[in-house]
Amino acid sequence: MNLKQPTGKSPSMQTSKHQKGKSAMSRIIAIIAILGVVTSVRAAEFVFPGWGSTDAAAFEAQLPNADSLFRKVLCASLAEFCRNKPADFAAMKTVVETASAQHAPNADEGFKLWVLKEIALNWGLACKDDAYIRDAWAYCLAHPSPADAHFISRLSAERLGTTEAIKIARTWELLAEGKAEPRTIKRLLQYYVQYLPTSGLPTQDAYEQLTTLNRVYTPKLIENKTTWEPIVAQIRTVMEAYK
């Protein structure tokens, strides 16, 4: 009588091993598929063709990849600019507003105003045509918003087609509002404190204006001390000169 256990594996054990093998292979295939999706998503990241690009197809190709309403409106607008260069700011405005209505229909008026001004400024600079910029600046004065700060911080009064007095007055308004982003506020503040010594303002008036700015920007230290501290420090340093 043969009392030894059979050395061969039972059919059930073989089936179990086969199923485990299939399960492992399925997991590997699933992982490969996921990696393929991730690679595809990365390949579809938004790539801005550049303000100076004249390739309408390049902007249209990026529309599906645009990850914000601004980028969607931007690409749609610039694609149209490439096909038909706007004759003036009015024509540019029509194109941008049409793109906003199509790609950001639920956006508020503040957003649409900001998009229009950003595109007008940067397109004008890319085209090296200040006519767009001057007309856009006139529009800014008639329809003020925080986006006006970018015009002031980047361009001289001459290029804006305005006077230094008007530029200074709008600078003060924007600083007092405190709604522009920190890097722009920093440039506006530098421009303003350089103006003060030759402004003809009485010392007390200058001090009161700086005190106002100190009150506007000091609370922002709570939001982000690292970002706002240099700005507050500059205000307080200049204040000392007018005490």
Side-chain angles (χ1 to χ4, degrees), residues 6 17 20 72 103 119 133 135 153 167-168 203 228:
K17 183 177 180 181
K20 288 181 179 178
K72 290 181 184 296
H103 296 282
I119 292 177
I133 296 171
D135 289 345
S153 67
K167 185 181 175 185
I168 283 292
T203 300
W228 291 102

Side-chain angles (χ1 to χ4, degrees), residues 144-164:
S145 76
D148 303 348
H150 294 174
F151 286 78
I152 292 174
S153 67
R154 296 176 66 181
L155 296 169
S156 66
E158 182 181 2
R159 290 193 69 184
L160 291 172
T162 192
T163 66
E164 201 67 36

Side-chain angles (χ1 to χ4, degrees), residues 8-84:
K9 296 180 180 177
S10 67
S12 62
M13 292 176 66
Q14 291 176 345
T15 301
S16 176
K17 183 177 180 181
H18 181 65
Q19 289 175 339
K20 288 181 179 178
K22 288 179 65 179
S23 178
M25 181 60 70
S26 296
R27 286 197 296 272
I28 292 172
I29 292 172
I31 291 170
I32 292 172
I34 291 170
L35 290 174
V37 170
V38 171
T39 302
S40 176
V41 169
R42 286 178 178 172
E45 288 180 351
F46 179 79
V47 179
F48 183 51
W51 289 101
S53 174
T54 57
D55 186 355
F59 289 108
E60 289 172 340
Q62 290 304 316
L63 264 173
N65 306 331
D67 51 3
S68 69
L69 292 179
F70 172 71
R71 286 179 169 178
K72 290 181 184 296
V73 176
L74 174 66
C75 286
S77 298
L78 294 185
E80 183 59 28
F81 291 175
C82 291
R83 287 190 291 265
N84 299 289

Side-chain angles (χ1 to χ4, degrees), residues 81-151:
F81 291 175
C82 291
R83 287 190 291 265
N84 299 289
K85 184 177 179 179
D88 51 27
F89 172 74
M92 174 189 292
K93 179 174 176 290
T94 298
V95 172
V96 176
E97 288 178 341
T98 299
S100 291
Q102 180 179 356
H103 296 282
N106 298 320
D108 60 32
E109 290 306 310
F111 170 83
K112 294 176 181 178
L113 195 59
W114 172 65
V115 171
L116 171 61
K117 292 179 180 181
E118 285 295 296
I119 292 177
L121 173 60
N122 287 284
W123 173 259
L125 290 173
C127 292
K128 299 180 180 179
D129 189 338
D130 287 355
Y132 291 115
I133 296 171
R134 288 193 295 271
D135 289 345
W137 173 246
Y139 184 82
C140 288
L141 293 177
H143 304 83
S145 76
D148 303 348
H150 294 174
F151 286 78

